[in-house]
DNA sequence: CAGTGAGCGAGCTTCCGCTTGACTT
């Protein structure tokens, strides 16, 4: 019989705490929330003051029954969930679900997982804070009301299975609005002038003119002026200013996601799962946190590490404070649990992420970097504009010796000519310089950048929308709903003008070209994303407002402090909200966004773009109903039926042009005949393809294939390639055993009884797949069958079909 | 790999935040 049962949220935490508390305590985990609103239906009794209808979450039934058993046996049950709104609710739900009497229940919170902190907590128990719990109930009920009233509206008005919510709908809106900014962006151009100058001793440096010219003429005139005989270049003022840089705060979930994306190329969810493994191995502190707080223990350990590695001079104690409004530090920042451990992790990903966390943590306890920035002006005798040269010298590297935070900037592209950083030769006012080559380059204003996963998370955090535990799932949701796609887009070629004034004085004009606007792994809205956002923004402006969450959070805080009744707060929100839902329900049958692109010159028919039942499409000709209404004729003839074509990847209803739309109707194209059968090219669900004799062969877009231009010759080549691959598909067949060794997309595999089995890479490194004996194959199959025993039969399925309504 | 929005017609989809597994193509 155990005297004490302690319940925490996370099993990894339970293990650590059990060690500290000793054998009079059993420490168990609730694995997060154990009760929630019933899965089905609204499960809120609005008439009874928004009374929630709770159930034990289906996946927690086992956990709860075990905890119940243990709590019955224990004398005292310590509820040690996190010290925040959600944690308090978990404690309350536990108390309710386990039917714990006040007399044997203690609510405690840990601020750190150290012996002192835990013993201190045990000595200072309290009861569950009902106000804080009510704040959580208000949050939970409001989210359910919003989500479960808006989503069905979308099913009826737009498309089944769509969703809307306080967090996801605003997240999509951010991406949609950024895309609109990009669409409306009017790029201006200008000329920037960079010149080389030589000191009397021959030292050369670069300097940029302090004026940017609007036109080529102005830039040309300037270059002509300064190339005239007798023009003198003199060093004007020289200024040296000390400056310093400060290390970034230790990682929170959001900053870890951003930095892992920039430095390691991880996706947001990848970062979280790698961090989870490090956490479970006891190597780092909890990875879902918005706190930058470091424990005194960690600060002390970091000091020792810095002193040992770089010397005491490099150390500076810094305590970071979290500016978040909740101001409750339920967790620490993300840091190594043991700073003395320089390397950790079993996979390369784990090691790299650990290294990043280690460096960031230790650097946060290091001295400022000290710099000296020198700016020199160069005066031109016959013009009022001045050149400016700047150089930056690090006089003391401080924390930079270990770590520097990356930035997501695309502005650096304009700074690649070397005028700026680095060292300047020592110069004094009045020194006469020799002009070297001077170049005026046409540049273009930068359009706003598209969001990456990480930059989106950053923005969400700034707006106070979502929580550390929801950033990654929110991104998955909006992608799975088809509101957003994450993909690469090719850039476009852009020409620009360069005027080069040689040292000798000859002026030359050249045209160069560059690729611009290419995007990698960025988030783009889909037509559905835009349609739904516009619809919601029109009818539910309050909820789509970027400050909606901040506003309701303020009210939740008031509830937590006991100054506001949670049912009252919900009533005040719900009445107008529900009225808007009712109003929207009564309006238009379907929400459509149709664009008339123009008239097809060949047929004289109208061309439209809109989102149809199966996704974005273009339409040639009016629908019979619309046409007959217009003409007052009741019999629409066959040729009046409109033609339809789906948009290609990357095309949008909002931006497609008449020319692009007309091109879509040229498919399917007949290329000619091969082996007596016609070959056609078109675009299907899986991209562009050619079809021959009932068989489909995908075009290789990466190799430049295009359904509009592909030739019969190329099509035949692709058909033959596919036939060749088919022939090579079968490596070995044991017919009697129903075992085949086949060549697949990921290399050789075994097919048996309708299921596929892997051949380990380590084995393939040593052996040809064809040489595997029947016994070896049987062993591999048996091995993988027992491994998968008890689990549901494997089914392949496609998740997150980005465009199109098909499931 | 096709289709482009309706009364014959079942039943379903959906929110946000706390947690970890069981899935591998």
């Amino acid at each position: 019989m155990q005297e004490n049962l302690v319940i925490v949220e996370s099993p990894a935490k339970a293990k650590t705490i059990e060690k500290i508390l000793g054998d009079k305590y059993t420490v168990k985990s609730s694995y997060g929330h154990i009760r929630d609103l019933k899965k089905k239906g609204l499960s809120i009794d609005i008439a009874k003051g928004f009374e929630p209808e709770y159930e034990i979450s289906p996946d927690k039934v086992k956990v709860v029954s075990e905890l119940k058993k243990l709590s019955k046996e224990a004398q005292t049950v310590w509820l040690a969930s996190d010290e925040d709104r959600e944690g308090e609710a978990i404690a309350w739900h536990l108390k309710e679900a386990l039917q714990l009497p006040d007399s044997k229940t203690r609510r405690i919170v840990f601020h750190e997982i150290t012996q002192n902190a835990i013993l201190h907590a045990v000595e200072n128990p309290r009861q569950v804070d009902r106000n804080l719990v009510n704040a959580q109930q208000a949050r939970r009920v409001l989210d359910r009301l919003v989500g479960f009233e808006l989503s069905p509206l979308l099913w009826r008005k737009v498309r089944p299975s769509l969703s809307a919510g306080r967090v996801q709908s605003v997240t999509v809106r951010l991406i949609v609005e950024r895309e609109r900014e990009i669409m409306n962006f009017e790029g201006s151009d200008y000329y920037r002038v960079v010149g080389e100058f030589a000191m009397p001793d021959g030292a050369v440096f670069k300097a940029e003119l302090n004026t940017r010219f609007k036109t080529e003429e102005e830039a040309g005139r300037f270059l002509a002026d300064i190339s005239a005989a007798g023009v003198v270049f003199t060093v004007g003022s020289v200024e040296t200013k000390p400056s310093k840089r400060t290390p970034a705060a230790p990682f929170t979930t959001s900053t870890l996601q951003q930095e892992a994306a920039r430095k390691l190329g991880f996706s947001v969810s990848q970062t979280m799962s790698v961090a989870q493994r490090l956490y479970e191995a006891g190597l780092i502190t909890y990875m879902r946190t918005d706190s930058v707080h470091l424990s005194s223990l960690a600060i002390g350990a970091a000091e020792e590490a810095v002193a040992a590695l770089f010397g005491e001079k490099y150390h500076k104690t810094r305590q970071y404070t979290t500016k978040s409004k909740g101001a409750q530090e339920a967790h620490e920042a993300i840091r190594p649990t043991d700073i003395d451990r320089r390397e950790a992790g079993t996979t390369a990903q784990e090691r790299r992420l650990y290294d990043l966390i280690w460096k960031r943590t230790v650097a946060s306890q290091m001295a400022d970097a000290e710099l000296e920035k020198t700016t020199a002006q160069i005066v031109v005798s016959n013009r009022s504009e001045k050149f400016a040269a700047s150089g930056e010298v690090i006089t003391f590297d401080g924390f930079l010796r270990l770590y520097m935070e990356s930035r997501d900037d695309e502005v650096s592209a304009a700074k690649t000519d070397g005028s700026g950083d680095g060292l300047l030769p020592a110069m004094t006012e009045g020194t006469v310089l020799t002009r070297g080559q001077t170049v005026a380059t046409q540049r273009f204003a930068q359009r706003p950048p598209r969001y990456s996963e990480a930059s989106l998370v950053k923005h969400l955090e700034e707006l106070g929308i979502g929580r550390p535990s929801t950033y990654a799932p929110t991104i998955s949701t909006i992608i799975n709903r088809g509101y957003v796609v994450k993909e690469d887009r090719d850039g476009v070629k852009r020409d620009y003008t360069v005027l080069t004034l040689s040292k000798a004085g000859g002026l030359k004009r050249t045209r160069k070209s560059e690729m611009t606007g290419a995007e990698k792994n960025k988030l783009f809205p889909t037509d559905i994303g835009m349609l739904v956002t516009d619809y919601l923004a029109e009818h539910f402006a309050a909820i789509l407002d970027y400050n909606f969450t901040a506003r309701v959070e303020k009210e939740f805080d008031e509830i937590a402090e006991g100054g506001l009744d949670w049912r009252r707060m919900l009533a005040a929100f719900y009445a107008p909200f529900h009225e808007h839902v009712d109003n929207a329900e009564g309006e238009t049958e379907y929400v459509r966004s149709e664009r008339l692109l123009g008239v097809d010159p060949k047929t004289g028919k109208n061309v439209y773009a809109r989102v149809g039942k199966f996704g974005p499409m273009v339409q040639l000709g009016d629908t019979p109903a619309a046409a007959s209404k217009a003409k007052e004729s009741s019999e629409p003839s066959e040729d009046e039926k409109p033609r339809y074509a789906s948009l290609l990847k990357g095309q949008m209803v909002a931006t497609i042009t008449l020319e692009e739309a007309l091109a879509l109707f040229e498919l399917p194209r007949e290329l000619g005949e091969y082996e007596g059968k016609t070959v056609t090219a078109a675009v299907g669900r899986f991209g562009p393809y050619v079809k021959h004799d009932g068989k489909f062969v995908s075009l290789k877009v990466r190799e430049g294939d295009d359904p509009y231009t592909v030739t019969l010759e190329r099509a035949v080549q692709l058909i033959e390639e596919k036939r060749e691959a088919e022939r090579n598909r079968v490596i070995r067949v044991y017919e009697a055993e129903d075992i085949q060794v086949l060549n697949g997309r990921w290399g050789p595999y075994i097919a048996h009884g309708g299921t596929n089995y892997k051949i380990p890479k380590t084995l393939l490194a040593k052996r040809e797949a064809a040489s595997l004996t029947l016994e070896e194959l049987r062993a591999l199959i048996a091995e993988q069958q027992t491994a998968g025993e008890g689990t549901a039969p494997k089914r392949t399925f496609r998740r997150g079909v980005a465009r199109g309504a098909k499931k």
Side-chain angles (χ1 to χ4, degrees), chain A residues 146 149-159 162-165 169-170 172-173 176-177 180 483 526-545 577-593 611:
Chain A
V146 171
E149 293 214 359
L150 290 187
S151 300
L153 188 65
L154 296 180
W155 304 343
R156 288 188 285 274
K157 301 294 175 186
V158 184
R159 178 187 294 177
L162 292 177
S163 63
S169 296
V170 178
V172 176
R173 184 182 175 192
V176 167
E177 295 216 326
R180 293 245 160 86
Y483 292 144
T526 62
D527 280 305
I528 277 290
M530 295 186 119
L531 185 66
V532 167
T533 299
D534 290 345
Y535 178 68
L536 293 176
E538 190 192 331
H539 290 83
F540 304 96
I543 287 168
L544 272 267
D545 189 316
F577 168 70
H578 186 69
E579 200 184 319
H580 282 110
V581 175
D582 278 345
N583 290 342
E585 193 70 61
E587 281 182 20
T588 54
E589 195 170 5
Y590 286 106
V591 184
R592 304 218 310 197
S593 67
V611 178

Side-chain angles (χ1 to χ4, degrees), chain A residues 37-38 40-54 137 140-142 144-145 149 566-568 570-571 574:
Chain A
L37 293 173
K38 286 186 191 159
K40 294 263 147 68
L42 196 62
S43 298
I44 297 163
D45 195 334
I46 293 165
K48 282 193 194 155
F50 300 90
E51 190 59 33
E53 293 163 19
Y54 291 118
Q137 296 201 92
R140 181 67 191 92
V141 168
L142 182 134
R144 173 61 70 91
L145 289 170
E149 293 214 359
W566 71 282
R567 297 174 197 266
R568 267 206 146 99
L570 285 173
Y574 186 70

Side-chain angles (χ1 to χ4, degrees), chain A residues 4-185:
Chain A
N4 295 287
L5 172 66
V6 182
I7 304 175
V8 297
E9 292 182 39
S10 147
K13 209 166 161 182
K15 257 198 290 179
T16 321
I17 294 171
E18 189 151 49
K19 266 185 236 155
I20 293 174
L21 282 173
D23 52 12
K24 283 192 177 160
Y25 292 80
T26 303
V27 187
K28 290 286 171 189
S29 157
S30 74
Y31 293 84
H33 275 295
I34 53 148
R35 282 208 314 187
D36 190 14
L37 293 173
K38 286 186 191 159
K39 260 179 90 129
K40 294 263 147 68
L42 196 62
S43 298
I44 297 163
D45 195 334
I46 293 165
K48 282 193 194 155
F50 300 90
E51 190 59 33
E53 293 163 19
Y54 291 118
E55 67 177 2
I56 307 280
S57 309
D59 56 334
K60 299 293 166 57
V61 172
K62 250 179 92 179
V63 178
V64 171
S65 70
E66 202 207 331
L67 290 176
K68 197 166 185 174
K69 190 169 144 263
L70 290 168
S71 67
K72 285 244 155 66
E73 295 165 2
Q75 277 172 18
T76 308
V77 179
W78 306 81
L79 302 175
S81 44
D82 294 345
E83 187 183 24
D84 57 17
R85 199 164 65 204
E86 298 296 328
E88 202 68 19
I90 289 174
W92 177 71
H93 280 298
L94 280 168
K95 190 165 176 289
E96 294 276 305
L98 306 181
Q99 297 165 323
L100 301 174
D102 281 351
S103 56
K104 70 183 262 185
T105 311
R106 309 271 188 280
R107 167 78 172 120
I108 50 170
V109 293
F110 306 137
H111 293 108
E112 287 180 17
I113 311 294
T114 58
Q115 184 145 20
N116 275 345
I118 289 173
L119 295 179
H120 178 79
V122 169
E123 281 158 21
N124 294 281
R126 56 175 175 84
Q127 288 297 311
V128 171
D129 180 345
R130 286 306 304 263
N131 288 331
L132 199 49
V133 172
N134 286 339
Q136 194 273 347
Q137 296 201 92
R139 198 280 302 156
R140 181 67 191 92
V141 168
L142 182 134
D143 281 337
R144 173 61 70 91
L145 289 170
V146 171
F148 277 36
E149 293 214 359
L150 290 187
S151 300
L153 188 65
L154 296 180
W155 304 343
R156 288 188 285 274
K157 301 294 175 186
V158 184
R159 178 187 294 177
S161 301
L162 292 177
S163 63
R166 173 176 59 84
V167 170
Q168 61 169 278
S169 296
V170 178
T171 307
V172 176
R173 184 182 175 192
L174 281 173
I175 296 166
V176 167
E177 295 216 326
R178 178 60 59 85
E179 195 68 23
R180 293 245 160 86
E181 278 174 46
I182 292 170
M183 282 177 197
N184 298 331
F185 180 74

Side-chain angles (χ1 to χ4, degrees), chain A residues 30 179 565 732 776 797:
Chain A
S30 74
E179 195 68 23
D565 179 76
R732 196 88 193 245
E776 286 173 309
F797 68 102

Side-chain angles (χ1 to χ4, degrees), chain A residues 309-329:
Chain A
L309 284 167
F310 309 114
E312 192 50 50
K313 197 176 150 205
Y314 276 85
H315 173 258
K316 181 174 178 186
T317 299
R318 301 169 196 268
Q319 184 52 270
Y320 296 85
T321 45
T322 311
K323 53 213 168 281
S324 89
K325 50 272 133 208
Q328 267 163 347
E329 316 251 311

